[in-house]
């Protein structure tokens, strides 16, 4: 496939983009579902934020298949998605991909959402809804 950049200069980006394309378009056999989930699990454990964000994107594009969702639940990858939301607040790209992934889960499998994702979203909303004392003292309307 056409790539807008030189693969030799960005091998990691090339690998992740090709993996996303593969997951989104060519997976057809259930046996491959398990392989792709294990591959994404390894990538979600990476120390590099870009790798985790790209693997969340690949997971989001592949989760529409029920067999992949079942493998996702079986391998407990929901905890790695929670990690992406809470590990470092400066990782905006990774957090955005995690939010997009959870939103996709709510659309596709609203009855089977793992409790860990609900708990982490609740914690994020709760921590952002508390008003700091400095803002209470300042009565200027926002």
């Amino acid at each position: 496939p056409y790539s807008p950049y030189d693969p030799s200069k960005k091998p990691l980006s090339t690998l992740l983009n090709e993996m996303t394309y593969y997951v989104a378009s060519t997976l057809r056999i259930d046996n491959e579902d398990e392989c792709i989930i294990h591959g994404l699990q390894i990538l979600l454990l990476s120390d590099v934020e870009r790798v985790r964000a790209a693997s969340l994107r690949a997971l989001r594009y592949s989760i529409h298949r029920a067999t992949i969702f079942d493998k996702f639940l079986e391998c407990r990858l929901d905890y790695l998605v929670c990690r992406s939301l809470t590990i470092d607040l400066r990782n905006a790209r990774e957090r955005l991909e995690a939010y997009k992934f959870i939103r996709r889960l709510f659309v596709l499998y609203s009855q089977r959402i793992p409790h860990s994702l609900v708990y982490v979203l609740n914690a994020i909303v709760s921590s952002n809804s508390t008003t700091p004392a400095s803002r209470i003292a300042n009565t200027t309307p926002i």
Side-chain angles (χ1 to χ4, degrees):
Y2 169 74
S3 66
Y5 49 84
D6 183 11
S8 62
K9 292 183 182 176
K10 295 188 176 182
L12 180 61
S13 296
T14 303
L15 170 71
L16 293 171
N17 285 331
E18 288 176 0
M19 186 174 185
T20 302
Y21 176 77
Y22 175 76
V23 165
S25 63
T26 60
L27 276 181
R28 299 289 178 252
I29 302 171
D30 289 343
N31 215 9
E32 291 179 356
D33 292 346
E34 188 169 347
C35 293
I36 201 66
I37 285 294
H38 290 301
L40 290 172
Q41 182 179 17
I42 291 170
L43 292 174
L44 281 170
L45 290 169
S46 173
D47 291 335
V48 181
E49 178 254 339
R50 285 182 24 209
V51 173
R52 293 190 307 263
S55 60
L56 284 167
R57 185 180 70 224
L59 191 57
R60 178 170 47 109
Y61 287 129
S62 64
I63 205 70
H64 66 278
R65 298 184 53 191
T67 55
I68 290 184
F69 182 68
D70 292 337
K71 295 289 181 191
F72 170 82
L73 294 176
E74 183 181 315
C75 293
R76 303 301 304 177
L77 293 184
D78 52 320
Y79 290 112
L80 294 177
V81 175
C82 292
R83 174 183 175 246
S84 294
L85 287 172
T86 59
I87 192 168
D88 188 0
L89 300 179
R90 294 174 300 190
N91 293 343
R93 179 186 304 159
E94 180 183 5
R95 289 178 64 120
L96 180 64
E97 289 297 335
Y99 284 130
K100 286 180 178 180
F101 174 73
I102 293 171
R103 183 179 63 193
R104 176 118 175 162
L105 284 181
F106 274 114
V107 169
L108 295 174
Y109 307 104
S110 58
Q111 300 297 319
R112 297 180 62 196
I113 295 289
H115 292 280
S116 59
L117 298 178
V118 176
Y119 294 147
V120 76
L121 289 176
N122 184 35
I124 291 169
V125 169
S126 297
S127 69
N128 288 335
S129 66
T130 57
T131 307
S134 61
R135 284 193 55 195
I136 293 172
N138 185 3
T139 58
T140 308
I142 298 176

